[in-house]
Amino acid sequence: MTMTFKHTSVLLEECLDGLKIKPDGIYVDGTLGGAGHSAEIVKRLETGKLIGIDQDESAITTAKEKLGFAEDRVILVRDNFSHLKSVLEGLNIDKIDGLLLDLGVSSHQLDTAERGFSYNNDAPLDMRMDNRSTKSAFEVINHYSAQKLHQVIRDYGEENWAKRIAEFIVEARKNGPIMTTFQLVEIIKAAIPHKARMDGPHPAKRTFQAIRIEVNEELSIISDTIKAACQSLAIGGRIAIISFHSLEDRIVKNAFRDLSVNCICPPEFPVCRCSNRAELKVITRKPLCPSDQELEANPRSRSAKLRVAERI
């Protein structure tokens, strides 16, 4: 029996407006998730195509059902969006008119307890978005050195207590492997002083985010994907990217900025010598955020930011 993929599309209208969808265009949803964005894109296509990509088997299964009404306009591919170029080559597609990326973990992944993404459910330490991957949260928590754990939790979780949490994890696993999310939560709580746990988000939130990013190599692929997508975009085609925390948003912002600059010569050069030419025009100088109505209807959208750029 197929599980229902609970999903509320974030910044839906803003994404659709940002992509400037043409009825005969070719669009890629690089993070299918619950196929909410894809379903609305497809409804706006007549002779165009939607290519839906996701590394999560559940997302592909759900998309087949949800997009069944338009199967002649939809191509589904189980892969990572970082392989966009090879996916398009495999489909003999040279240029696309738009790319949508909804970064991070989906609501379905968070709510499927046994996948180990949530600190609110007890489950095996997994956190793999693609269950074909050999690296899981178990490997990271039980095999990384204290120094490497510290670095991951500090850099990807922006956690003030990263060093102490890493030390507590290493000490705890001397008594046997850390197997479950709740075991990890208790270790994190023990590492963070009680006073520091009184305010703010759940004490395990930042560490769980960091481990998930490390397991799925989420941040390392964003910038290269944007560059590759830029090469695949037709003139006037657009990239729309939703991020959910400052680390992702900073990478998107910087990648868009770098690709929208005409000259990269040092300021002291009187004449341009680099021959660099801008490939993108940034459409959203500041990121678009959810409206008050959306925040009320979907609290998980509260940290979402959308940035859009156009191929020139």
Side-chain angles (χ1 to χ4, degrees):
M1 185 176 69
T2 303
M3 287 187 64
T4 301
F5 203 126
K6 291 175 64 180
H7 178 75
T8 303
S9 300
V10 173
L11 292 165
L12 178 59
E13 292 303 321
E14 292 85 347
C15 286
L16 297 171
D17 290 344
L19 287 171
K20 211 169 58 171
I21 297 164
K22 302 185 298 183
D24 61 347
I26 299 176
Y27 295 88
V28 176
D29 184 345
T31 47
L32 264 172
H37 291 101
S38 283
E40 295 304 318
I41 292 171
V42 168
K43 289 175 185 176
R44 287 158 174 75
L45 300 179
E46 294 173 4
T47 57
K49 292 281 186 186
L50 171 84
I51 300 154
I53 302 172
D54 207 296
Q55 60 188 334
D56 190 327
E57 185 178 17
S58 298
I60 297 294
T61 301
T62 296
K64 284 179 182 176
E65 297 176 0
K66 192 161 188 174
L67 304 177
F69 70 93
E71 58 184 355
D72 59 320
R73 285 168 278 161
V74 175
I75 301 169
L76 300 179
V77 181
R78 187 182 179 193
D79 208 330
N80 187 292
F81 64 73
S82 64
H83 302 143
L84 174 66
K85 186 177 179 181
S86 63
V87 167
L88 295 177
E89 287 173 351
L91 297 171
N92 293 316
I93 293 173
D94 182 41
K95 294 293 182 183
I96 61 175
D97 296 287
L99 169 68
L100 172 66
L101 296 178
D102 184 352
L103 303 175
V105 65
S106 73
S107 294
H108 173 74
Q109 289 165 336
L110 281 171
D111 293 338
T112 306
E114 62 268 24
R115 299 190 65 171
F117 284 103
S118 175
Y119 42 76
N120 290 318
N121 298 301
D122 198 19
L125 280 171
D126 192 335
M127 300 194 196
R128 291 173 299 165
M129 293 180 178
D130 186 341
N131 60 16
R132 299 170 297 184
S133 173
T134 56
K135 182 164 72 173
S136 69
F138 177 88
E139 314 302 324
V140 173
I141 292 299
N142 287 286
H143 296 149
Y144 276 26
S145 66
Q147 181 180 358
K148 194 169 183 182
L149 278 171
H150 171 212
Q151 182 181 353
V152 167
I153 298 168
R154 178 196 65 201
D155 294 350
Y156 294 162
E158 299 179 296
E159 170 59 71
N160 293 332
W161 299 95
K163 189 171 189 292
R164 189 171 159 91
I165 291 169
E167 290 170 349
F168 272 57
I169 288 170
V170 171
E171 184 63 29
R173 71 192 191 196
K174 289 178 181 177
N175 300 318
I178 301 165
M179 304 292 293
T180 71
T181 52
F182 275 6
Q183 280 182 274
L184 180 57
V185 167
E186 290 307 310
I187 293 165
I188 294 167
K189 285 181 176 178
I192 301 176
H194 179 72
K195 190 174 180 180
R197 287 191 273 118
M198 296 293 287
D199 300 313
H202 190 288
K205 180 179 180 179
R206 294 187 180 92
T207 299
F208 269 60
Q209 172 185 296
I211 301 303
R212 189 201 81 222
I213 288 172
E214 173 66 13
V215 167
N216 297 288
E217 300 178 356
E218 294 174 41
L219 298 184
S220 62
I221 61 177
I222 298 172
S223 184
D224 286 345
T225 298
I226 292 172
K227 292 173 187 174
C230 191
Q231 297 304 309
S232 298
L233 275 177
I235 302 300
R238 290 189 169 189
I239 308 177
I241 304 181
I242 303 170
S243 61
F244 284 87
H245 55 75
S246 59
L247 296 171
E248 293 171 336
D249 182 59
R250 195 177 306 133
I251 293 170
V252 175
K253 177 184 177 181
N254 291 342
F256 279 4
R257 180 201 62 203
D258 293 346
L259 289 165
S260 65
V261 174
N262 261 324
C263 175
I264 55 173
C265 290
E268 60 268 21
F269 280 23
V271 179
C272 174
R273 301 177 190 173
C274 68
S275 301
N276 191 70
R277 291 296 174 264
E279 298 177 63
L280 290 178
K281 176 176 70 174
V282 177
I283 303 299
T284 50
R285 290 297 169 184
K286 291 185 178 181
L288 301 179
C289 298
S291 64
D292 291 340
Q293 292 90 335
E294 180 169 2
L295 288 170
E296 186 176 344
N298 180 21
R300 280 182 176 171
S301 70
R302 65 186 175 276
S303 57
K305 293 181 179 179
L306 172 66
R307 293 186 184 271
V308 181
E310 180 176 295
R311 185 73 163 95
I312 58 175

